[in-house]
C-alpha cells in the first residue's frame, strides 16, 4: 500500500504550522511538488522548501516534481474546463505515485492553508481511488486557513451573533446579487471584485494581502472609502513582485438599534 499525506501548511507564516503537520512531515519519504507557471510560483515553492529545511532536515526525504496542468481560463464552459483540468491533474498525481514511490512508502503534499479550502488535491485523491487504485490510501492533516489568518490579524470574529457566514470567490461577487452579500469572505479574486459593491453605503471591508508573510498589508474601513486604496495597494504589490494573494471579509453594518 502507498499512503499519501495531504498536509496543510498555513497561509505563508512558517510559525502557523500545526504540531500534527510537523509530525506528519517527518514521516514522509517523498514530497510531491506540482510546479505551476505564473503567480508566485517561485516563492511558494521556496516557502515549502524552507519549511522542510526547518522541520525535517535531520532525516532523509526526496522531492519529486510534476508539471501542474494548465487550466483553460478562456473557455466559455467554465465547469467543463475545471473538470478537464481536474482529470489531467489526477493523472499527473497518479504518474508521480507510480514512478516515485515504492510500496509501503509515504508520499506528501504540502498544501497551502488547509487542504479542504479551495484546493483540488483532496478531490484528486478521491478520484484516483474511485478509478480503481486500491494500492493507494490517504490522510488529511488540517492547516490554518488564510481566512483564520485574516480574522486574527484584523481582530474580528468571522460571524456575528446568530448570523451565517459565506465563503465565496471573486467570480461570484462579480456576477452575483450585491444585495445578497451581508457577511462574506472572498478569496481567489484576481480582478478587484469588491469594487462592484463600493456604492453600497453600509458595507465594511477587512482586506488582507499576503497575510502572515513579510509582505503583509492590512486595510479596513467603509468599502466606499477604502476600495480605491486597496486597488492601488494590489497594483503596487503586483508591480513590485509580480503577484499578491488577497482575502477579504465584506460585512454589511447592522442597522442602528437592530
Ligand atoms: C487556491 S486558494 C488556497 C486557499 C488555502 N487552501 C487556504 O486554506 O487558505 C488561494 C487563495 O487563498 C487566498 N490566500 C492564500 N494565502 C493567502 C494569504 N497569505 N493572504 C491572503 N490571502 C491568501 C487568496 O484568496 C488566494 O487567491
Amino acid at each position: 500500500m502507498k499512503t499519501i499525506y495531504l498536509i496543510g501548511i498555513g497561509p505563508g507564516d512558517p510559525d502557523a504550522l500545526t504540531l500534527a503537520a510537523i509530525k506528519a512531515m517527518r514521516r514522509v519519504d517523498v514530497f510531491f511538488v506540482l510546479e505551476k507557471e505564473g503567480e508566485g510560483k517561485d516563492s511558494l515553492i521556496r516557502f515549502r522548501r524552507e519549511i522542510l529545511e526547518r522541520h525535517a532536515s535531520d532525516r532523509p526525504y526526496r522531492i519529486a516534481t510534476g508539471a501542474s496542468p494548465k487550466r483553460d481560463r478562456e473557455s466559455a464552459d467554465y465547469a467543463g474546463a475545471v473538470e478537464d483540468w481536474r482529470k489531467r491533474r489526477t493523472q499527473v498525481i497518479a504518474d508521480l505515485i507510480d514512478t516515485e514511490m515504492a510500496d509501503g512508502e509515504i508520499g506528501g503534499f504540502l498544501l497551502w492553508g488547509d487542504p479542504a479550502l479551495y484546493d483540488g488535491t483532496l478531490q484528486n485523491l478521491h478520484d484516483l481511488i474511485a478509478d480503481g487504485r486500491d494500492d493507494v490510501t490517504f490522510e488529511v492533516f488540517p492547516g490554518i486557513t488564510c481566512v483564520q489568518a485574516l480574522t486574527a490579524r484584523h481582530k474580528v470574529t468571522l460571524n456575528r451573533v446568530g448570523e451565517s457566514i459565506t465563503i465565496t470567490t471573486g467570480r461570484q461577487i462579480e456576477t452575483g446579487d450585491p444585495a445578497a452579500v451581508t457577511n462574506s469572505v472572498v478569496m481567489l479574486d484576481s480582478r478587484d471584485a469588491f469594487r462592484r459593491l463600493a456604492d453600497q453605503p453600509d458595507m465594511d471591508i477587512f482586506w488582507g494581502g499576503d497575510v502572515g508573510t513579510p509582505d503583509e498589508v492590512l486595510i479596513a474601513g467603509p468599502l466606499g472609502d477604502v476600495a480605491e486604496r486597496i486597488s492601488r495597494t494590489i497594483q503596487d504589490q503586483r508591480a513590485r513582485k509580480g503577484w499578491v494573494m488577497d482575502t477579504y471579509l465584506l460585512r454589511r453594518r447592522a442597522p442602528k438599534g437592530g
Side-chain angles (χ1 to χ4, degrees), residues 134-147:
D134 54 9
D135 60 328
V136 176
T137 181
F138 72 100
E139 287 182 41
V140 179
F141 298 86
I144 303 285
T145 67
C146 63
V147 180

Side-chain angles (χ1 to χ4, degrees), residues 27-60:
R27 293 198 293 272
V28 168
D29 298 295
V30 53
F31 289 95
F32 296 127
V33 179
L34 296 190
E35 290 186 318
K36 219 191 287 183
E37 288 304 320
E39 289 190 2
K41 176 190 133 183
D42 292 343
S43 39
L44 297 192
I45 289 175
R46 205 179 317 126
F47 178 70
R48 287 178 173 87
R49 288 189 191 265
E50 230 176 87
I51 282 183
L52 284 178
E53 272 158 34
R54 198 198 276 201
H55 296 294
S57 62
D58 58 340
R59 51 179 293 283

Side-chain angles (χ1 to χ4, degrees), residues 157-165 183 251 254 258:
T157 55
L158 193 51
N159 65 291
R160 290 181 294 199
V161 177
E163 198 179 50
S164 55
I165 171 84
N183 202 35
R251 176 165 287 172

Side-chain angles (χ1 to χ4, degrees), residues 35-198:
E35 290 186 318
K36 219 191 287 183
E37 288 304 320
E39 289 190 2
K41 176 190 133 183
D42 292 343
S43 39
L44 297 192
I45 289 175
R46 205 179 317 126
F47 178 70
R48 287 178 173 87
R49 288 189 191 265
E50 230 176 87
I51 282 183
L52 284 178
E53 272 158 34
R54 198 198 276 201
H55 296 294
S57 62
D58 58 340
R59 51 179 293 283
Y61 61 80
R62 311 188 297 281
I63 295 181
T65 55
S68 184
K70 271 207 163 138
R71 210 171 85 198
D72 179 1
R73 291 181 188 273
E74 307 305 318
S75 169
D77 177 12
Y78 176 75
V82 172
E83 178 61 16
D84 171 64
W85 171 76
R86 203 175 88 188
K87 281 191 180 141
R88 286 184 290 125
R89 200 170 187 273
T90 301
Q91 191 54 51
V92 171
I93 294 172
D95 291 345
L96 281 171
I97 293 173
D98 283 339
T99 56
E100 303 290 343
M101 283 179 80
D103 188 37
E105 282 197 320
I106 297 177
F109 283 91
L110 300 181
L111 300 177
W112 204 252
D114 180 75
L117 187 64
Y118 292 120
D119 188 297
T121 317
L122 205 156
Q123 189 56 46
N124 291 138
L125 266 296
H126 277 301
D127 290 351
L128 194 138
I129 289 166
D131 271 356
R133 291 292 301 255
D134 54 9
D135 60 328
V136 176
T137 181
F138 72 100
E139 287 182 41
V140 179
F141 298 86
I144 303 285
T145 67
C146 63
V147 180
Q148 292 158 300
L150 177 81
T151 53
R153 297 296 290 131
H154 279 290
K155 301 180 186 169
V156 287
T157 55
L158 193 51
N159 65 291
R160 290 181 294 199
V161 177
E163 198 179 50
S164 55
I165 171 84
T166 306
I167 299 181
T168 187
T169 62
R171 181 175 241 271
Q172 297 291 338
I173 293 295
E174 254 180 346
T175 54
D177 175 9
V181 178
T182 52
N183 202 35
S184 294
V185 174
V186 185
M187 297 170 60
L188 295 160
D189 179 3
S190 54
R191 288 191 295 224
D192 300 8
F194 52 83
R195 295 177 71 103
R196 181 161 179 252
L197 307 186

